[in-house]
Amino acid sequence: TSLQQHGRAVIELEAAALQALLPRINDDFARACRLMLACAGRVVVVGMGKSGHIGGKIAATLASTGTPAFFVHPGEASHGDLGMITPPDVVIAISNSGETAEILTILPIIKRMGVKLISLTGNPASSLARLADVNLDVSVAKEACPLNLAPTSSTTVTLAMGDALAVALLKSRGFTPDDFADRKIPDSVRPWRDRLFGLTINPERLQQIRAERRPNSKYASLENCRYEVRECEALFDREGIPVLD
């Protein structure tokens, strides 16, 4: 039927768009991964409209696979939420046109803080792409929408790029199925949830302590200590647990 034909046409167009994405998993992709692996803060994803919806999913996928991340609406950022972004963070900005006004408005502040910026755009010559430390090309030849207006192929490709980043980081960090269980309050203490307090430590001090126990090990590396402290602080934040440093 015509309905089935229309449906198949969408799948074929989006499959072709994903296939065209493969050559763009290149040196820029690796640079973006390295920026996030070296991040001492969190990955902050921003995007408007449909790009914002995709950004929210990318942030959630990163957070559940070992990379602390959250989404910030760029419109709200210019009205106070920009304080959620700090110098040690990495920002992923998503805009198909690369000219989204709400994102461009907050870029000067992000750049002044020294925050590293990764852009996902459909226009490598755009303002956003040029201002980014790394731009990942998520352009498509055509949207699956017959009017070429509704974001369809472009959002699928952007989501796939986000998944590729998250899984590459997961593999690099050696994230295991056990780590998924470790990212929530243990069942044995959950009944006392309202009485819990979190304890955290400066990563540099933790590295010194561990270096005395197991020198020159991954366990004692500063990168690993920073990662574990971030993960604990993210857990405390998600669960609303008061923290003592």
Side-chain angles (χ1 to χ4, degrees), residues 224-240:
N224 188 61
C225 291
R226 284 173 173 165
Y227 170 70
E228 290 190 17
V229 170
R230 285 201 310 269
E231 287 295 293
C232 287
E233 290 176 345
L235 172 63
F236 299 151
D237 184 56
R238 282 197 305 274
E239 297 285 349

Side-chain angles (χ1 to χ4, degrees), residues 93-101 103-104 107 117-139:
I94 305 172
S95 169
N96 189 42
S97 68
E99 302 294 343
T100 303
I103 293 178
L104 296 181
L107 285 191
L117 176 64
I118 300 167
S119 62
L120 273 63
T121 74
N123 181 3
S126 64
S127 300
L128 177 57
R130 287 186 284 105
L131 289 167
D133 294 283
V134 182
N135 179 64
L136 300 180
D137 182 2
V138 290
S139 60

Side-chain angles (χ1 to χ4, degrees), residues 36-39 41-43 58-69 165-176 179-183 223-224 226-232 234 238:
M36 289 188 280
L37 285 170
C39 176
R42 300 184 191 179
V43 175
I58 290 174
T61 300
L62 286 167
S64 66
T65 53
T67 300
L165 289 168
V167 174
L169 296 176
L170 176 154
K171 290 283 190 180
S172 180
R173 288 196 169 105
F175 198 74
T176 68
D179 292 317
F180 280 96
D182 291 341
R183 297 172 65 79
E223 179 183 359
N224 188 61
R226 284 173 173 165
Y227 170 70
E228 290 190 17
V229 170
R230 285 201 310 269
E231 287 295 293
C232 287
R238 282 197 305 274

Side-chain angles (χ1 to χ4, degrees), residues 79-243:
H79 292 279
D81 282 2
L82 199 59
M84 299 170 69
I85 303 174
T86 62
D89 296 334
V90 170
V91 168
I92 296 178
I94 305 172
S95 169
N96 189 42
S97 68
E99 302 294 343
T100 303
E102 291 85 353
I103 293 178
L104 296 181
T105 296
I106 64 175
L107 285 191
I109 302 172
I110 290 173
K111 301 297 282 187
R112 278 201 300 272
M113 286 193 289
V115 174
K116 295 299 183 182
L117 176 64
I118 300 167
S119 62
L120 273 63
T121 74
N123 181 3
S126 64
S127 300
L128 177 57
R130 287 186 284 105
L131 289 167
D133 294 283
V134 182
N135 179 64
L136 300 180
D137 182 2
V138 290
S139 60
V140 296
K142 184 180 180 182
E143 296 287 5
C145 165
L147 303 177
N148 204 34
L149 294 174
T152 43
S153 301
S154 59
T155 48
T156 298
V157 165
T158 302
L159 184 60
M161 181 65 84
D163 285 344
L165 289 168
V167 174
L169 296 176
L170 176 154
K171 290 283 190 180
S172 180
R173 288 196 169 105
F175 198 74
T176 68
D178 289 340
D179 292 317
F180 280 96
D182 291 341
R183 297 172 65 79
K184 62 182 181 66
I185 297 175
D187 292 337
S188 58
V189 299
R190 187 166 287 280
W192 294 275
R193 163 70 187 73
D194 294 337
R195 300 183 183 182
L196 295 179
F197 281 85
L199 295 176
T200 187
I201 188 173
N202 181 285
E204 286 74 16
R205 176 58 184 146
L206 180 62
Q207 190 271 334
Q208 292 172 356
I209 295 170
R210 289 185 171 187
E212 293 176 2
R213 298 174 183 166
R214 291 169 56 185
N216 303 317
S217 65
K218 181 179 179 181
Y219 162 82
S221 71
L222 183 56
E223 179 183 359
N224 188 61
C225 291
R226 284 173 173 165
Y227 170 70
E228 290 190 17
V229 170
R230 285 201 310 269
E231 287 295 293
C232 287
E233 290 176 345
L235 172 63
F236 299 151
D237 184 56
R238 282 197 305 274
E239 297 285 349
I241 297 172
V243 176

